[in-house]
Amino acid sequence: MSVTRVVVAGGGTAGWMAAAAIARTMGAMVEVTLVESEAIGTVGVGESTIPPLVTYNRLLGINEAEFMAATAATFKLGILFDGWHTPDSRYFHSFGTTGRDHWAAGFQHYWLNGRTRGHDQPYDDYCTELVAALQGRFAHLPNDATNYAYQLDSGRYAQFLRTMAERDGTRRIEGRIARVELDAETGDIAALLLDGDRRVEGDLFLDCTGFRALLIEGALHAGYDDWTHWLPCDAAIAVQTESVGPPLPYTRAMAHEAGWQWRIPLQHRVGNGIVYCSRYLERDAALDRLLGNVEGAVRTEPNFLRFTTGARRRQWHRNCVAIGLSGGFMEPLESTSIHLIQRAVLRLLRLFPQGGVKPADVAEFNDQQLQDMEQIRDFLILHYKVTDRRDSPFWRQCAAMDVPDSLQQKIDLFRQSGRVFRRNEELFGENSWVQVMMGQGIVPEGHHPIAGKLSDGELDRLLSMIRRQVADTVATMPPHGDYVARYCPAERP
């Protein structure tokens, strides 16, 4: 049976990202129907993104300035981490490339070697995006040399994609899903039964119903692996506040005694939230902490969320594919929520069924999705595990916990030699691991011997040249707020 009818269950960011991409890519080859209810809210707090979203939008032919204006977006050059190594520490995880690599060794090896020869300039000084972020500057550089992402209003992004998807032929049906009808012979999903005795049939169903996972779990029982023993935070509260100054080109992640707090500056407001472990912090105390550490007047009622970090065991099961939160949840520490939606959608398009769902396609999709999530999981665990904080039961638990072997190997390798190796299409690059591991307090004991090949004079000239180029480039960039105001001023709601 050919797959010609795709039914997307649920709207929000996940549903409309999927519908827009499939409708634009597949065209008249498939009929896309999206079912959602205005009465059912969405989580709607995935406002901070990472650079692959730039590529995703380009693949769909989206004009960047129009998209940013419609979503009140700002540019994002990375994340500022406060209080993660020690309560008073601070470091920056940027999206840029630091220094210049040799094919045999990353730049960190030359920087580490330089420290043994008296060079004491911070590692940060060798990254254009990092220096620009801390100075509050931004510009598109020639040859797409700026590595950046977006800070955006996810509700507006969903609406932007809905307009695009409907223009490309997607049919939207308003209604609640009352029941999922299974085929008595195959066990596949045959139809969604909506309120009012309506029935929506399809060949392939995408579960974009969020934490409820009505199709993939409620109907098909795909199973879920709980990772809270590694990532113990299980609750969050989100609020929006008025802007009190020009938007900064980065997101903040501020650690506290039982988790962390985010601050995401958009053009018209700021997104704020607190992530915490309910075992160590009660909800009312968490809300007080959040409201006591925001800037500007609060403009929305608090949005209370509970979650279990982990992954669906089968994210494609029978003729149903989980997209977004229905497939699993990675807390938003490194802004990967929208990215995981993007990866699932693009992977589905690459493996789109011909002549019916094939077991080999399903197995490949599930293997790749799980690998993505496990690699992101390890990167998130790193922030909690590698710390000198012992000031609360939460941090003592994190520092003492056993971690996956895959992460422990990376930590041991970097601590001993300064080396980082990535596997397959792993999301976070070498520079990301270096910045976070050093920011969290790991000082490598050694470095690649090739760094010693340079004489003192050669190394000094190399390091000085890179720092000067970074400083000169950043000096040409305007303030981020001015650039946004000229390039993509936000549309009124």
Side-chain angles (χ1 to χ4, degrees), residues 112-379:
L112 289 165
N113 179 266
R115 292 185 63 189
T116 68
R117 305 196 209 181
H119 293 274
D120 58 0
Q121 290 81 8
Y123 187 73
D124 295 357
D125 290 356
Y126 299 89
C127 177
T128 300
E129 287 83 355
L130 196 158
V131 173
L134 294 181
Q135 292 187 20
R137 297 174 178 269
F138 182 85
H140 288 95
L141 296 176
N143 302 315
D144 291 328
T146 311
N147 295 293
Y148 63 87
Y150 309 108
Q151 299 165 140
L152 54 83
D153 185 313
S154 58
R156 291 192 184 189
Y157 186 42
Q159 183 59 50
F160 179 86
L161 292 171
R162 173 181 170 178
T163 299
M164 175 179 150
E166 290 182 324
R167 191 186 308 127
D168 287 342
T170 296
R171 179 172 65 116
R172 178 188 178 276
I173 297 176
E174 167 69 27
R176 285 179 176 268
I177 300 171
R179 189 163 63 86
V180 179
E181 178 186 310
L182 302 183
D183 185 286
E185 293 184 5
T186 66
D188 289 349
I189 296 175
L192 303 182
L193 302 182
L194 312 184
D195 50 6
D197 296 324
R198 293 172 293 166
R199 189 169 183 271
V200 181
E201 296 183 351
D203 305 315
L204 184 67
F205 292 81
L206 308 188
D207 188 338
C208 301
T209 63
F211 289 132
R212 294 172 298 151
L214 293 179
L215 282 64
I216 195 72
E217 192 62 46
L220 297 180
H221 312 295
Y224 194 82
D225 287 326
D226 184 339
W227 291 341
T228 51
H229 52 292
W230 290 314
L231 294 166
C233 291
D234 59 1
I237 310 171
V239 296
Q240 299 173 9
T241 57
E242 301 289 347
S243 300
V244 296
L248 295 169
Y250 58 84
T251 294
R252 289 186 68 184
M254 300 164 279
H256 59 79
E257 74 271 13
W260 61 281
Q261 180 178 339
W262 75 75
R263 187 176 297 159
I264 305 170
L266 279 60
Q267 291 189 48
H268 63 310
R269 63 170 174 82
V270 177
N272 306 270
I274 188 168
V275 177
Y276 63 98
C277 178
S278 62
R279 178 181 173 189
Y280 298 113
L281 189 65
E282 295 182 350
R283 192 179 89 158
D284 290 347
L287 180 60
D288 289 343
R289 171 174 281 281
L290 170 61
L291 297 180
N293 191 35
V294 296
E295 299 174 342
V298 176
R299 50 180 281 173
T300 59
E301 291 297 317
N303 182 10
F304 297 95
L305 305 168
R306 293 300 298 264
F307 55 83
T308 301
T309 300
R312 198 72 54 194
R313 289 180 189 143
R314 289 170 289 186
Q315 296 186 44
W316 186 344
H317 185 38
R318 298 188 179 277
N319 65 334
C320 177
V321 182
I323 306 289
L325 298 178
S326 61
F329 182 74
M330 298 286 102
E331 64 165 88
L333 182 58
E334 284 286 353
S335 312
T336 53
S337 295
I338 289 178
H339 173 75
L340 285 170
I341 297 170
Q342 168 189 331
R343 289 280 277 189
V345 171
L346 295 183
R347 182 164 289 133
L348 173 61
L349 283 167
R350 293 191 184 103
L351 293 168
F352 200 84
Q354 181 184 29
V357 174
K358 301 291 196 303
D361 288 335
V362 173
E364 185 63 29
F365 182 93
N366 285 329
D367 286 348
Q368 290 188 27
Q369 285 293 108
L370 181 58
Q371 185 176 81
D372 273 357
M373 297 190 75
E374 287 178 339
Q375 289 170 343
I376 291 171
R377 176 203 68 192
D378 285 1
F379 194 60

Side-chain angles (χ1 to χ4, degrees), residues 460-477:
D460 182 68
R461 285 191 292 275
L462 172 67
L463 297 178
S464 298
M465 177 191 66
I466 296 171
R467 289 199 312 276
R468 184 172 61 254
Q469 289 176 342
V470 167
D472 290 348
T473 299
V474 173
T476 67
M477 296 179 172

Side-chain angles (χ1 to χ4, degrees), residues 79 81 84-85 91-94 98 123-124 130 333-334 378-387 407 411 414 420 428-443:
I79 304 172
F81 287 92
W84 287 82
H85 173 212
Y91 72 91
F92 199 92
H93 172 204
S94 78
T98 301
Y123 187 73
D124 295 357
L130 196 158
L333 182 58
E334 284 286 353
D378 285 1
F379 194 60
L380 298 182
I381 296 170
L382 172 68
H383 298 67
Y384 290 101
K385 171 64 177 179
V386 179
T387 176
L407 172 59
I411 293 172
F414 185 75
V420 175
F428 292 103
E430 179 177 7
N431 195 49
S432 291
W433 283 92
V434 171
Q435 289 177 109
V436 173
M437 286 199 279
M438 291 203 302
Q440 296 284 145
I442 298 179
V443 178

